[in-house]
């Protein structure tokens, strides 16, 4: 594929299926940019998380009040006193439902913002990555079938365990699979591969969708950037954060009209075990 966005600043365009190398978390904002994205200190991160929590709380309270009152209003107009709803009542109900959808969307955005800002404690355990990927694919397959998307799966047999928080890794996978589905509004092919690449396990998700222009590729991991209707701009940034918190890296290749391929790597548990004594014995 012609265009590449490598999150480890190497700027090459190697196929993700051939292996993505790890990089320093938070580094690189685009191919050839030479810029480094500074990592926040733990104290500043906690302060921002607390600030986000307070902000979301203040937003969700009035949204909850609006949702309750809209539900009551809808009930009044759907069941008017003295008979069947009039055409005017029906128009009001339609508008109320539109407002309810917008309230729900704002609540979802607020919750996504809070989850992104706070992150979450990473509870790593030895897990079978192939099993995790298969379970997520089984979960999304019915909706993919309805969308005319055919899933193709290639899971390496005998892959060593990875040390991961299963819930978070599943969320990262779901975000990437939703992104792939949205890129194929008329259906298409979805290839998901899990394989060992040296000391890493790699997951690649490739679609035959619309692909991304260079400017879209450059910004796809930016927080709150989205060119999709109703998109929050937090799915891919959240996926990147989860992968990097697990000591991995993520990269993307895309070409307009041909599709997009995301690949992320995670350290194998056996490699982490080998490295631990070396770190403990260091002066």
């Amino acid at each position: 594929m012609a265009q590449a966005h490598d999150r480890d600043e190497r700027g090459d365009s190697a196929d993700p299926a051939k292996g993505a190398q790890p990089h320093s978390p938070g580094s690189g904002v685009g191919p050839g940019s030479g810029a480094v994205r500074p990592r926040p200190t733990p104290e500043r991160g906690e302060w921002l998380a607390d600030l986000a929590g307070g902000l979301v709380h203040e937003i969700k309270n009035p949204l909850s009040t609006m949702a309750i009152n809209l539900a009551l209003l809808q009930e009044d107009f759907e069941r008017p006193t003295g008979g069947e709803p009039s055409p005017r009542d029906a128009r009001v109900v339609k508008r109320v439902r539109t407002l309810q959808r917008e309230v729900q969307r704002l609540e979802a955005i607020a919750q996504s913002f809070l989850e992104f800002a706070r992150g979450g404690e990473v509870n790593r355990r030895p897990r079978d990555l192939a099993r995790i990927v298969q379970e997520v694919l089984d979960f999304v397959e019915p909706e993919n079938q309805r969308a005319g998307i055919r899933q193709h799966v290639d899971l390496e047999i005998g892959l060593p365990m990875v040390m991961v928080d299963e819930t978070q890794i599943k969320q990262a996978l779901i975000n990437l699979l939703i992104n792939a589905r949205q890129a194929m509004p008329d259906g298409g092919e979805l290839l998901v591969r899990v394989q060992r690449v040296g000391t890493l396990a790699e997951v690649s998700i490739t679609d035959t969708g619309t692909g991304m222009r260079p400017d879209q590729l450059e910004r796809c991991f930016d927080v709150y950037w989205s060119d999709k209707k109703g998109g929050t701009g937090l799915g891919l940034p959240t996926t990147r954060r989860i992968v990097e918190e697990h000591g991995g890296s993520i990269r993307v290749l895309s070409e307009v009209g041909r599709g997009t391929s995301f690949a992320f790597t995670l350290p194998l548990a056996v490699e982490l075990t080998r490295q631990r004594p070396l770190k403990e014995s260091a002066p």
Side-chain angles (χ1 to χ4, degrees), residues 121-161:
E121 184 179 353
V122 180
N123 298 311
R124 300 188 192 182
R125 298 287 186 275
R127 292 290 184 264
D128 182 347
L129 185 58
R131 173 189 61 79
I132 292 174
V133 170
Q134 187 62 64
E135 287 181 1
V136 173
L137 287 172
D138 290 343
F139 174 71
V140 302
E141 186 172 20
E143 192 163 353
N144 280 346
Q145 287 178 339
R146 286 193 294 271
I149 296 171
R150 292 169 293 279
Q151 293 184 176
H152 307 277
V153 186
D154 181 8
L155 305 179
E156 183 173 319
I157 299 175
L159 189 71
M161 295 283 189

